[in-house]
Amino acid sequence: MKDHSEMYVPTFDDMKAAHERIRPHIHRTPVLTSSYLDELAGCEMFFKCENFQKAGAFKVRGASNAVFGLSETQAARGVATHSSGNHALSLSYAAGRRGIPCHVVMPRTAPQAKKDAVRGYGGIITECEPSTSSREEVFAKVHAETGADFVHPYNDPRVIAGQGTCARELLQQMADFGGNPDFVVAPIGGGGMISGTCLTLSNLAPEVKIIAAEPEQADDAARSFRAGHIIADDAPETVADGLKVPLKDLTWHFVKGHVSDVLTATEQEIIDAMKLIWQRMKIVMEPSSAVPLATILKNPDTFAGKRVGVIVTGGNVDLAKLPWMQS
Amino acid sequence: MKDHSEMYVPTFDDMKAAHERIRPHIHRTPVLTSSYLDELAGCEMFFKCENFQKAGAFKVRGASNAVFGLSETQAARGVATHSSGNHALSLSYAAGRRGIPCHVVMPRTAPQAKKDAVRGYGGIITECEPSTSSREEVFAKVHAETGADFVHPYNDPRVIAGQGTCARELLQQMADFGGNPDFVVAPIGGGGMISGTCLTLSNLAPEVKIIAAEPEQADDAARSFRAGHIIADDAPETVADGLKVPLKDLTWHFVKGHVSDVLTATEQEIIDAMKLIWQRMKIVMEPSSAVPLATILKNPDTFAGKRVGVIVTGGNVDLAKLPWMQS
């Protein structure tokens, strides 16, 4: 097993190698636009729809890169992770395609639909409490018992290199829309997608500004960004349940180096943006994926007249528990 | 005003002319696939996504053809219609683009979201009771008062020619998927989409079998098909609220001549199929649009191993009232 204890920062070549490796296992997801939403926001938006991705989220990029990069010997022991949902799904999907076991530690409060889907892909779930501390404790036990390769949901160079393939496709697809965007806005939780985006854009299009979008109620990345060091919260509460986890050393490296700003939105703004996208674009996406639009609508001066790439990170929602039903 | 009292049957050339006329006002909607749903259904399905269409449904094709085909004199008096929703939206949208008035008679029980959207596009609503008889009575009054051109939701040659453009695009797009399908399945209410599909396929690909899909609780088309004459029900009840209206002479002409079969599905089968599409394809579509998948899943022997085009007719749902919430 590769030693990750000394921080290895993935390179642009790692991202390109990841893209070759995962290509048979992922979709090249479409980029959609909405003239209605553009008019509302006062800018041109290009939605990279990872909600249409295999296993329903961008996380399958990083997970597949990790799984298919393992040697035969490593692979035989399987993979293991902890995740609030989509990484678990994705790793189970990728492991299933390689035919190796996947152990998942998951909060007992995760949506039933996500647990069912993990099991549907053949993942083996051990439940923990919905806090970062409990999750890490339970995971250490599972990891020790199985000897599986730990694929962290985001603080792993293989995962970040994989997530970076999304921004690469976006730039390629933007050629059909008149060239590179001025901004790319993506949600930030642990920072895996943002880090991959930084890795790719800092090499391919360093003039593109990268904005991280975060729930106000889980604004540890925004506070970290302003403080200049990682601030981690234990178990914040937000409807954007994919964004509760804190930054780690590797993702902080990218956020610190390449992110232009971290913008936040309230719970109601996130829910309103989500409903707007469902109603107008007719696509099913997660609350986490609505945070970018919520921050764009909230900061019209920043984006006025600009071309803005928006990463729609995933579409795995429990249809029986939509947030506008609960409020 | 053209005299429609003697039945004019639209021709293949009318459909081609419609396509030219409406092109600036509609989207060429994408064709999506799902390996999961294909495995479940035991056939290959190609979903023509009119839920992504302007105004959220295929109806904008026929409505735009009618509105943009009017002479200046006719246009000045505006257009009028009765509709359970999507035709009203579409006609308001098209009239708005031409800058002429649009009068709409709509059941008072229609989803609030649809009423708001009609008004949002500038449509002028007069409410009626949720029955065919009340609708026609109230409409006659509005029509007489305004002198607007009556654009029937489906029993109008201009509308049918417009709806036929959808099947034409589907065939063109199927070239990327290895050629024509064996079947095209579309929902049937009044029969506008099915008639347009018949018009186009009987000319371009007469070997493709056309299947109409209908709610069991509003199965007047299925009973008409078997009886050999139109059977109309007044105010049937179904979750597929776009499919409550009966066949009329012009649509019956196409159904009788070119439809291979009319298949039905129960309310629960429709709701289950709808949820499956939302969950797996991550697209927002109406209960009416789920009827084709419901009938395909119910008739595995008919479709086994076949290539099946499926018309996803629209995506205008009231997100606060999803059918699995009420059941």
Side-chain angles (χ1 to χ4, degrees), chain A residues 32 35 51-52 54 56 113 117 121 275 278-284 315-317 319-322 324-325, chain B residues 32 35 51-52 54 56 113 117 121 275 278-284 315-317 319-322 324-325:
Chain A
L32 301 184
S35 50
N51 54 330
F52 296 148
K54 286 280 180 190
Y121 285 129
K275 207 169 164 188
W278 284 46
Q279 275 175 333
R280 288 290 170 165
M281 297 186 68
K282 314 295 183 190
I283 62 174
V284 169
N316 294 323
V317 285
L319 291 175
K321 276 191 189 172
L322 297 172
W324 48 82
M325 299 293 176
Chain B
L32 300 184
S35 50
N51 54 330
F52 296 148
K54 286 282 181 190
Y121 285 128
K275 207 171 166 187
W278 284 46
Q279 275 174 332
R280 288 292 170 162
M281 296 186 67
K282 314 295 183 191
I283 61 173
V284 169
N316 293 324
V317 285
L319 291 174
K321 276 191 189 174
L322 297 172
W324 48 82
M325 299 294 177

Side-chain angles (χ1 to χ4, degrees), chain B residues 94-121:
Chain B
R97 281 184 76 115
R98 188 154 178 188
I100 64 176
C102 177
H103 302 278
V104 175
V105 173
M106 214 166 164
R108 60 170 173 75
T109 52
Q112 188 59 41
K114 289 193 177 181
K115 291 182 190 169
D116 292 346
V118 165
R119 293 196 178 103
Y121 285 128

Side-chain angles (χ1 to χ4, degrees), chain A residues 22-41:
Chain A
I22 70 179
R23 211 181 294 276
H25 311 292
I26 66 164
H27 286 309
R28 185 180 171 91
T29 56
V31 173
L32 301 184
T33 60
S34 163
S35 50
Y36 178 89
L37 292 181
D38 282 359
E39 198 168 315
L40 193 69

